[in-house]
Coordinates of all heavy atoms in Angstrom, one line a residue:
M9 N -25.0 40.3 -19.6 CA -25.3 40.8 -20.9 C -25.9 39.6 -21.7 O -25.4 38.5 -21.8 CB -24.0 41.2 -21.6 CG -24.2 41.9 -23.0 SD -22.7 42.3 -23.9 CE -22.3 43.9 -23.1
A10 N -27.0 39.9 -22.4 CA -27.7 38.9 -23.2 C -27.1 38.9 -24.6 O -26.4 39.8 -25.0 CB -29.2 39.2 -23.3
L11 N -27.3 37.8 -25.3 CA -26.8 37.7 -26.7 C -27.4 38.8 -27.5 O -26.7 39.3 -28.4 CB -27.2 36.3 -27.2 CG -26.4 35.1 -26.7 CD1 -27.0 33.8 -27.3 CD2 -24.9 35.2 -26.9
A12 N -28.6 39.1 -27.2 CA -29.3 40.2 -28.0 C -28.6 41.5 -27.8 O -28.6 42.3 -28.7 CB -30.7 40.3 -27.6
D13 N -28.0 41.7 -26.6 CA -27.2 42.9 -26.4 C -25.9 42.9 -27.1 O -25.4 43.9 -27.6 CB -27.0 43.2 -24.9 CG -28.2 43.4 -24.2 OD1 -29.1 44.0 -24.7 OD2 -28.3 42.9 -23.0
R14 N -25.3 41.6 -27.1 CA -24.0 41.5 -27.7 C -23.9 41.8 -29.2 O -22.9 42.2 -29.7 CB -23.4 40.1 -27.4 CG -23.1 39.9 -26.0 CD -22.5 38.5 -25.7 NE -22.4 38.2 -24.3 CZ -21.3 38.5 -23.6 NH1 -20.3 39.1 -24.2 NH2 -21.3 38.3 -22.3
I15 N -25.0 41.5 -29.9 CA -24.9 41.7 -31.4 C -24.8 43.2 -31.7 O -24.3 43.5 -32.8 CB -26.2 41.1 -32.1 CG1 -27.5 41.8 -31.7 CG2 -26.2 39.6 -32.0 CD1 -28.6 41.4 -32.5
T16 N -25.2 44.1 -30.8 CA -24.9 45.5 -31.1 C -23.5 45.9 -30.7 O -23.1 47.0 -31.0 CB -25.9 46.4 -30.3 OG1 -25.7 46.2 -28.9 CG2 -27.4 46.0 -30.6
A17 N -22.8 45.0 -30.1 CA -21.4 45.3 -29.7 C -20.4 44.5 -30.5 O -19.4 44.1 -30.0 CB -21.2 45.0 -28.2
A18 N -20.8 44.1 -31.7 CA -19.9 43.3 -32.6 C -18.6 44.0 -32.8 O -18.6 45.2 -32.8 CB -20.6 43.1 -33.9
P19 N -17.5 43.2 -33.0 CA -16.2 43.8 -33.2 C -16.3 44.8 -34.4 O -16.8 44.5 -35.4 CB -15.3 42.7 -33.5 CG -16.0 41.5 -32.9 CD -17.5 41.8 -33.0
K20 N -15.7 45.9 -34.2 CA -15.6 46.9 -35.3 C -14.3 46.9 -35.9 O -13.3 46.6 -35.3 CB -15.9 48.3 -34.7 CG -17.2 48.5 -34.1 CD -18.3 48.7 -35.2 CE -19.6 49.3 -34.6 NZ -20.2 48.4 -33.6
R21 N -14.2 47.2 -37.2 CA -12.9 47.3 -37.9 C -12.2 48.4 -37.2 O -12.7 49.5 -37.1 CB -13.2 47.6 -39.3 CG -13.6 46.4 -40.2 CD -12.4 45.5 -40.5 NE -11.4 46.2 -41.2 CZ -11.3 46.4 -42.5 NH1 -12.3 45.9 -43.3 NH2 -10.3 47.0 -43.1
A22 N -10.9 48.1 -36.9 CA -10.1 49.2 -36.3 C -9.5 50.0 -37.5 O -9.6 49.7 -38.6 CB -8.9 48.5 -35.5
H23 N -8.9 51.1 -37.1 CA -8.4 52.0 -38.1 C -6.9 51.7 -38.4 O -6.3 52.5 -39.2 CB -8.6 53.4 -37.7 CG -10.0 53.8 -37.8 ND1 -10.7 53.9 -39.0 CD2 -10.9 54.1 -36.8 CE1 -12.0 54.2 -38.7 NE2 -12.1 54.4 -37.4
G24 N -6.3 50.7 -37.8 CA -4.9 50.5 -38.0 C -4.7 49.8 -39.3 O -5.5 49.8 -40.2
L25 N -3.5 49.2 -39.5 CA -3.2 48.5 -40.7 C -4.0 47.2 -40.8 O -4.0 46.4 -39.9 CB -1.7 48.1 -40.6 CG -1.0 47.6 -41.9 CD1 -1.0 48.7 -43.0 CD2 0.4 47.2 -41.6
P26 N -4.8 47.1 -41.9 CA -5.6 45.9 -42.0 C -4.8 44.7 -42.4 O -3.7 44.8 -42.9 CB -6.6 46.3 -43.1 CG -5.9 47.2 -44.0 CD -4.9 48.0 -43.0
C27 N -5.3 43.5 -42.2 CA -4.7 42.3 -42.7 C -4.8 42.2 -44.2 O -5.4 43.1 -44.9 CB -5.3 41.0 -42.1 SG -6.9 40.6 -42.8
S28 N -4.2 41.2 -44.9 CA -4.2 41.2 -46.3 C -5.6 41.1 -46.9 O -5.9 41.6 -48.0 CB -3.3 40.1 -46.8 OG -3.6 38.8 -46.3
V29 N -6.5 40.4 -46.2 CA -7.9 40.2 -46.7 C -8.6 41.6 -46.5 O -9.3 42.0 -47.4 CB -8.6 39.1 -46.0 CG1 -10.1 39.0 -46.4 CG2 -7.9 37.8 -46.2
G30 N -8.4 42.2 -45.4 CA -9.1 43.5 -45.1 C -8.6 44.5 -46.1 O -9.3 45.3 -46.7
D31 N -7.3 44.5 -46.4 CA -6.7 45.4 -47.3 C -7.2 45.2 -48.7 O -7.6 46.1 -49.4 CB -5.1 45.2 -47.3 CG -4.5 46.2 -48.3 OD1 -4.7 47.4 -48.2 OD2 -3.7 45.7 -49.2
L32 N -7.4 43.9 -49.1 CA -7.9 43.6 -50.4 C -9.4 44.1 -50.5 O -9.8 44.7 -51.5 CB -7.8 42.1 -50.7 CG -8.4 41.6 -52.0 CD1 -7.7 42.3 -53.2 CD2 -8.3 40.1 -52.2
L33 N -10.2 43.8 -49.5 CA -11.6 44.3 -49.5 C -11.6 45.8 -49.6 O -12.5 46.3 -50.3 CB -12.3 43.8 -48.2 CG -12.6 42.4 -48.1 CD1 -13.0 42.0 -46.6 CD2 -13.8 42.0 -49.0
D34 N -10.7 46.5 -49.0 CA -10.7 48.0 -49.1 C -10.4 48.4 -50.5 O -10.8 49.5 -50.9 CB -9.7 48.6 -48.1 CG -10.1 48.5 -46.7 OD1 -11.3 48.2 -46.5 OD2 -9.3 48.7 -45.8
R35 N -9.6 47.7 -51.2 CA -9.1 48.1 -52.5 C -10.0 47.7 -53.7 O -9.9 48.2 -54.8 CB -7.7 47.6 -52.8 CG -6.7 48.4 -51.9 CD -5.2 48.0 -52.2 NE -4.9 46.6 -51.8 CZ -4.7 45.6 -52.7 NH1 -4.8 45.8 -54.0 NH2 -4.4 44.4 -52.2
L36 N -10.8 46.6 -53.5 CA -11.6 46.1 -54.6 C -12.7 47.0 -55.0 O -13.3 47.7 -54.1 CB -12.2 44.7 -54.2 CG -11.3 43.5 -54.1 CD1 -12.0 42.3 -53.5 CD2 -10.7 43.2 -55.5
P37 N -13.1 47.0 -56.3 CA -14.3 47.8 -56.7 C -15.5 47.1 -56.0 O -15.5 46.0 -55.6 CB -14.3 47.6 -58.2 CG -13.4 46.5 -58.5 CD -12.4 46.4 -57.4
D38 N -16.6 47.9 -55.9 CA -17.8 47.5 -55.1 C -18.3 46.1 -55.5 O -18.5 45.3 -54.6 CB -18.9 48.5 -55.3 CG -18.7 49.7 -54.6 OD1 -17.8 49.8 -53.7 OD2 -19.4 50.7 -54.8
D39 N -18.4 45.8 -56.8 CA -19.0 44.5 -57.1 C -18.0 43.3 -56.7 O -18.5 42.3 -56.3 CB -19.4 44.4 -58.6 CG -18.2 44.8 -59.5 OD1 -17.2 45.4 -59.1 OD2 -18.3 44.4 -60.7
E40 N -16.7 43.6 -56.9 CA -15.8 42.5 -56.5 C -15.7 42.4 -55.0 O -15.6 41.3 -54.5 CB -14.4 42.9 -57.0 CG -14.3 42.8 -58.5 CD -14.3 41.3 -59.0 OE1 -13.2 40.7 -59.0 OE2 -15.4 40.9 -59.4
R41 N -15.8 43.5 -54.2 CA -15.8 43.4 -52.8 C -17.1 42.6 -52.3 O -17.0 41.8 -51.4 CB -15.8 44.8 -52.2 CG -15.9 44.8 -50.6 CD -15.6 46.2 -50.0 NE -16.4 47.2 -50.6 CZ -15.9 48.2 -51.3 NH1 -14.6 48.4 -51.5 NH2 -16.7 49.1 -51.9
T42 N -18.2 42.9 -52.9 CA -19.4 42.2 -52.6 C -19.3 40.7 -52.8 O -19.7 39.9 -52.0 CB -20.6 42.8 -53.4 OG1 -20.7 44.1 -53.1 CG2 -21.9 42.0 -53.1
A43 N -18.6 40.3 -53.9 CA -18.5 38.9 -54.2 C -17.6 38.2 -53.2 O -17.9 37.1 -52.7 CB -17.9 38.8 -55.6
L44 N -16.4 38.9 -52.9 CA -15.5 38.3 -51.9 C -16.2 38.2 -50.5 O -16.1 37.2 -49.8 CB -14.2 39.1 -51.8 CG -13.2 38.7 -50.8 CD1 -12.8 37.2 -51.0 CD2 -11.9 39.5 -50.9
Q45 N -16.9 39.3 -50.1 CA -17.6 39.2 -48.8 C -18.6 38.1 -48.8 O -18.8 37.4 -47.8 CB -18.3 40.6 -48.6 CG -18.7 40.8 -47.1 CD -17.6 40.7 -46.1 OE1 -16.6 41.5 -46.2 NE2 -17.6 39.8 -45.2
H46 N -19.3 37.9 -50.0 CA -20.3 36.8 -50.1 C -19.6 35.5 -49.8 O -20.1 34.6 -49.1 CB -20.9 36.9 -51.5 CG -21.9 35.8 -51.7 ND1 -23.3 35.9 -51.4 CD2 -21.8 34.5 -52.2 CE1 -23.9 34.7 -51.7 NE2 -23.0 33.9 -52.2
M47 N -18.4 35.3 -50.4 CA -17.7 34.0 -50.2 C -17.4 33.8 -48.8 O -17.5 32.7 -48.2 CB -16.4 34.1 -51.0 CG -16.5 34.0 -52.5 SD -14.9 34.3 -53.3 CE -15.4 34.3 -55.1
L48 N -16.9 34.9 -48.1 CA -16.5 34.8 -46.7 C -17.7 34.5 -45.8 O -17.6 33.8 -44.8 CB -15.9 36.2 -46.2 CG -14.5 36.5 -46.8 CD1 -14.2 38.0 -46.6 CD2 -13.5 35.6 -46.1
D49 N -18.9 35.0 -46.2 CA -20.1 34.9 -45.4 C -20.9 33.6 -45.6 O -21.8 33.3 -44.9 CB -21.0 36.1 -45.6 CG -20.4 37.4 -45.0 OD1 -19.4 37.3 -44.3 OD2 -20.9 38.5 -45.4
N50 N -20.6 33.0 -46.8 CA -21.5 31.9 -47.2 C -20.7 30.5 -47.3 O -21.1 29.7 -48.1 CB -22.2 32.2 -48.5 CG -23.2 33.3 -48.3 OD1 -24.3 33.0 -47.9 ND2 -22.8 34.6 -48.5
G51 N -19.8 30.3 -46.4 CA -19.2 29.0 -46.3 C -18.2 28.5 -47.3 O -17.9 27.3 -47.3
W52 N -17.7 29.4 -48.1 CA -16.6 29.0 -49.0 C -15.4 28.7 -48.1 O -15.2 29.4 -47.1 CB -16.2 30.2 -49.9 CG -17.1 30.4 -51.1 CD1 -18.5 30.5 -51.1 CD2 -16.7 30.5 -52.5 NE1 -18.9 30.7 -52.4 CE2 -17.9 30.7 -53.2 CE3 -15.5 30.4 -53.1 CZ2 -17.8 30.8 -54.6 CZ3 -15.4 30.5 -54.5 CH2 -16.6 30.7 -55.2
S53 N -14.7 27.6 -48.4 CA -13.6 27.2 -47.6 C -12.4 28.2 -47.8 O -12.4 28.9 -48.8 CB -13.2 25.8 -47.9 OG -12.5 25.7 -49.1
Q54 N -11.5 28.1 -46.8 CA -10.3 29.0 -47.0 C -9.6 28.7 -48.3 O -9.2 29.6 -49.0 CB -9.4 28.7 -45.8 CG -8.1 29.4 -45.8 CD -7.3 29.2 -44.5 OE1 -7.6 29.8 -43.5 NE2 -6.4 28.3 -44.5
N55 N -9.5 27.4 -48.6 CA -8.8 27.1 -49.9 C -9.5 27.5 -51.1 O -8.9 28.0 -52.1 CB -8.5 25.6 -49.9 CG -7.3 25.2 -49.0 OD1 -6.5 26.1 -48.6 ND2 -7.2 23.9 -48.7
E56 N -10.8 27.4 -51.1 CA -11.6 27.8 -52.2 C -11.5 29.3 -52.5 O -11.4 29.8 -53.6 CB -13.1 27.5 -52.0 CG -13.4 26.0 -52.1 CD -14.8 25.6 -51.7 OE1 -15.4 26.4 -50.9 OE2 -15.3 24.5 -52.0
I57 N -11.6 30.1 -51.4 CA -11.4 31.5 -51.5 C -10.0 31.9 -52.0 O -9.9 32.7 -52.9 CB -11.8 32.2 -50.2 CG1 -13.3 32.0 -49.9 CG2 -11.5 33.7 -50.2 CD1 -13.7 32.5 -48.5
Y58 N -9.0 31.2 -51.4 CA -7.7 31.5 -51.7 C -7.4 31.3 -53.2 O -6.9 32.1 -53.9 CB -6.7 30.7 -50.9 CG -5.2 30.9 -51.2 CD1 -4.6 32.0 -50.6 CD2 -4.6 30.1 -52.1 CE1 -3.2 32.2 -50.9 CE2 -3.2 30.4 -52.4 CZ -2.6 31.4 -51.8 OH -1.3 31.7 -52.1
D59 N -7.9 30.1 -53.7 CA -7.8 29.8 -55.1 C -8.5 30.8 -56.0 O -7.9 31.2 -57.1 CB -8.3 28.4 -55.4 CG -7.4 27.3 -54.8 OD1 -6.3 27.6 -54.4 OD2 -7.9 26.2 -54.7
A60 N -9.7 31.2 -55.6 CA -10.4 32.2 -56.4 C -9.7 33.6 -56.5 O -9.6 34.2 -57.5 CB -11.8 32.3 -55.9
V61 N -9.3 34.0 -55.3 CA -8.7 35.3 -55.2 C -7.3 35.4 -55.9 O -7.1 36.3 -56.7 CB -8.5 35.7 -53.7 CG1 -7.6 36.9 -53.5 CG2 -9.8 36.0 -53.1
T62 N -6.5 34.3 -55.8 CA -5.2 34.4 -56.4 C -5.4 34.2 -57.9 O -4.6 34.7 -58.7 CB -4.3 33.3 -55.8 OG1 -4.9 32.0 -55.9 CG2 -3.9 33.6 -54.4
A63 N -6.4 33.4 -58.4 CA -6.7 33.2 -59.8 C -7.0 34.6 -60.5 O -6.8 34.8 -61.7 CB -7.8 32.3 -60.0
E64 N -7.5 35.5 -59.7 CA -7.8 36.9 -60.2 C -6.6 37.8 -60.0 O -6.7 39.0 -60.3 CB -9.0 37.5 -59.4 CG -10.3 36.7 -59.7 CD -10.7 36.7 -61.2 OE1 -10.4 37.7 -61.9 OE2 -11.3 35.7 -61.6
G65 N -5.5 37.2 -59.6 CA -4.3 38.0 -59.6 C -4.1 38.8 -58.3 O -3.2 39.7 -58.2
H66 N -4.9 38.5 -57.2 CA -4.7 39.2 -56.0 C -3.8 38.4 -55.0 O -3.8 37.2 -55.2 CB -6.0 39.5 -55.3 CG -7.0 40.2 -56.2 ND1 -6.8 41.5 -56.6 CD2 -8.2 39.8 -56.7 CE1 -7.8 41.9 -57.4 NE2 -8.7 40.9 -57.5
E67 N -3.2 39.1 -54.1 CA -2.4 38.3 -53.1 C -3.0 38.5 -51.7 O -3.2 39.6 -51.2 CB -1.0 38.9 -53.1 CG -0.2 38.5 -54.3 CD 1.3 38.9 -54.2 OE1 1.8 39.0 -53.1 OE2 1.9 39.0 -55.2
V68 N -3.3 37.3 -51.1 CA -3.7 37.3 -49.7 C -3.0 36.2 -49.0 O -2.5 35.2 -49.7 CB -5.2 37.1 -49.5 CG1 -6.0 38.3 -50.1 CG2 -5.7 35.9 -50.2
G69 N -2.9 36.2 -47.7 CA -2.3 35.1 -47.0 C -3.4 34.0 -46.8 O -4.5 34.3 -46.5
R70 N -3.0 32.8 -47.2 CA -4.0 31.7 -47.1 C -4.6 31.6 -45.7 O -5.9 31.5 -45.6 CB -3.4 30.4 -47.5 CG -4.3 29.2 -47.7 CD -3.6 28.0 -47.9 NE -2.9 27.9 -49.3 CZ -3.5 27.3 -50.3 NH1 -4.7 26.7 -50.2 NH2 -2.8 27.3 -51.5
Q71 N -3.8 31.6 -44.7 CA -4.3 31.5 -43.3 C -5.1 32.7 -42.9 O -5.9 32.7 -42.0 CB -3.1 31.3 -42.3 CG -2.1 30.3 -42.7 CD -2.6 28.9 -42.8 OE1 -3.6 28.6 -42.1 NE2 -2.1 28.1 -43.7
T72 N -4.8 33.8 -43.5 CA -5.4 35.1 -43.1 C -6.9 35.1 -43.4 O -7.7 35.8 -42.8 CB -4.8 36.3 -43.9 OG1 -3.4 36.2 -43.7 CG2 -5.3 37.6 -43.4
I73 N -7.3 34.3 -44.4 CA -8.7 34.2 -44.8 C -9.6 33.8 -43.6 O -10.6 34.5 -43.3 CB -8.9 33.3 -46.0 CG1 -8.2 33.9 -47.2 CG2 -10.4 33.1 -46.3 CD1 -8.1 33.0 -48.4
N74 N -9.3 32.7 -43.0 CA -10.1 32.3 -41.8 C -9.9 33.2 -40.6 O -10.9 33.4 -39.9 CB -9.8 30.9 -41.4 CG -10.5 29.9 -42.3 OD1 -11.4 30.2 -43.1 ND2 -10.2 28.6 -42.2
R75 N -8.7 33.8 -40.5 CA -8.5 34.7 -39.4 C -9.4 35.9 -39.6 O -10.0 36.4 -38.6 CB -7.1 35.1 -39.3 CG -6.2 34.1 -38.5 CD -5.1 34.8 -37.8 NE -4.2 35.5 -38.7 CZ -3.2 34.9 -39.3 NH1 -3.0 33.6 -39.2 NH2 -2.4 35.5 -40.1
H76 N -9.5 36.4 -40.8 CA -10.3 37.6 -41.1 C -11.8 37.3 -40.9 O -12.5 38.0 -40.3 CB -10.0 38.2 -42.5 CG -10.8 39.4 -42.7 ND1 -10.3 40.7 -42.4 CD2 -12.0 39.6 -43.3 CE1 -11.2 41.6 -42.8 NE2 -12.3 41.0 -43.3
R77 N -12.1 36.1 -41.4 CA -13.5 35.7 -41.3 C -14.0 35.6 -39.8 O -15.1 35.9 -39.4 CB -13.7 34.3 -42.0 CG -15.2 33.9 -42.1 CD -15.4 32.5 -42.5 NE -14.4 31.8 -43.2 CZ -14.6 31.3 -44.5 NH1 -15.7 31.6 -45.1 NH2 -13.6 30.6 -45.0
S78 N -13.1 35.1 -39.0 CA -13.4 34.9 -37.5 C -13.1 36.2 -36.7 O -13.2 36.2 -35.5 CB -12.7 33.7 -37.0 OG -11.3 33.9 -37.0
R79 N -12.6 37.2 -37.4 CA -12.3 38.5 -36.8 C -11.2 38.4 -35.8 O -11.2 39.1 -34.8 CB -13.6 39.1 -36.2 CG -14.7 39.3 -37.3 CD -15.9 40.0 -36.8 NE -16.8 40.2 -37.9 CZ -17.6 41.3 -38.0 NH1 -17.6 42.2 -37.0 NH2 -18.4 41.4 -39.0
S80 N -10.3 37.5 -36.0 CA -9.2 37.4 -35.1 C -7.9 38.0 -35.8 O -6.8 37.8 -35.3 CB -8.9 36.0 -34.6 OG -8.8 35.1 -35.7
C81 N -8.1 38.6 -36.9 CA -7.0 39.2 -37.6 C -6.7 40.6 -37.0 O -7.5 41.1 -36.2 CB -7.3 39.3 -39.1 SG -8.7 40.4 -39.4
R82 N -5.7 41.3 -37.6 CA -5.4 42.6 -37.0 C -6.3 43.7 -37.4 O -6.3 44.8 -36.8 CB -3.9 43.0 -37.3 CG -3.7 43.2 -38.8 CD -2.2 43.6 -39.0 NE -1.9 43.9 -40.4 CZ -1.0 43.2 -41.0 NH1 -0.2 42.3 -40.4 NH2 -0.8 43.4 -42.3
C83 N -7.3 43.4 -38.3 CA -8.3 44.4 -38.6 C -9.1 44.7 -37.4 O -9.7 45.8 -37.3 CB -9.2 43.9 -39.7 SG -8.5 43.5 -41.3
Y84 N -9.3 43.8 -36.5 CA -10.3 43.9 -35.4 C -9.6 44.1 -34.1 O -10.2 43.9 -33.1 CB -11.2 42.7 -35.4 CG -12.0 42.6 -36.7 CD1 -11.6 41.8 -37.8 CD2 -13.2 43.4 -36.8 CE1 -12.4 41.8 -38.9 CE2 -13.9 43.4 -38.0 CZ -13.5 42.6 -39.0 OH -14.2 42.6 -40.2
R85 N -8.3 44.4 -34.1 CA -7.7 44.6 -32.8 C -7.6 46.1 -32.5 O -7.6 46.9 -33.3 CB -6.3 44.0 -32.8 CG -6.4 42.5 -32.7 CD -5.0 41.9 -32.6 NE -5.1 40.5 -32.8 CZ -4.2 39.7 -33.4 NH1 -3.1 40.3 -33.9 NH2 -4.4 38.4 -33.6
Ligands
LIG113 ZN1 -8.7 41.2 -41.5

């Protein structure tokens, strides 16, 4: 399988219980979800994202941020 083939087989979100980050993404209004996804996709550190999210009154697991970003959380199992 070539890398070019693999990008079409990217891990898909499962329908089970999402992790705390996936759950938050599901619950946020569109503009907030876009902002958080931007942080995840553009190199914000785990701690920077954690501080921003909790400052807005949301609860996520600090370690879950990198797990969700690397798709090793339960969203993708
Ligand atoms: Zn997740």
Side-chain angles (χ1 to χ4, degrees):
M9 185 184 277
L11 290 176
D13 296 324
R14 290 180 188 274
I15 60 170
T16 63
K20 296 282 195 297
R21 284 282 302 275
H23 290 292
L25 191 64
C27 74
S28 57
V29 175
D31 180 54
L32 178 59
L33 283 166
D34 287 344
R35 288 185 291 110
L36 286 172
D38 283 350
D39 54 342
E40 291 289 277
R41 177 169 51 242
T42 300
L44 178 53
Q45 193 63 57
H46 178 90
M47 293 174 183
L48 290 163
D49 292 342
N50 289 276
W52 283 51
S53 76
Q54 176 172 281
N55 284 341
E56 288 168 340
I57 294 175
Y58 180 83
D59 289 346
V61 166
T62 55
E64 295 300 326
H66 306 298
E67 286 190 23
V68 295
R70 189 186 289 264
Q71 313 296 330
T72 308
I73 294 167
N74 276 350
R75 277 210 300 276
H76 184 85
R77 189 191 339 243
S78 65
R79 302 186 173 211
S80 55
C81 65
R82 63 177 180 240
C83 298
Y84 295 97
R85 286 188 191 141

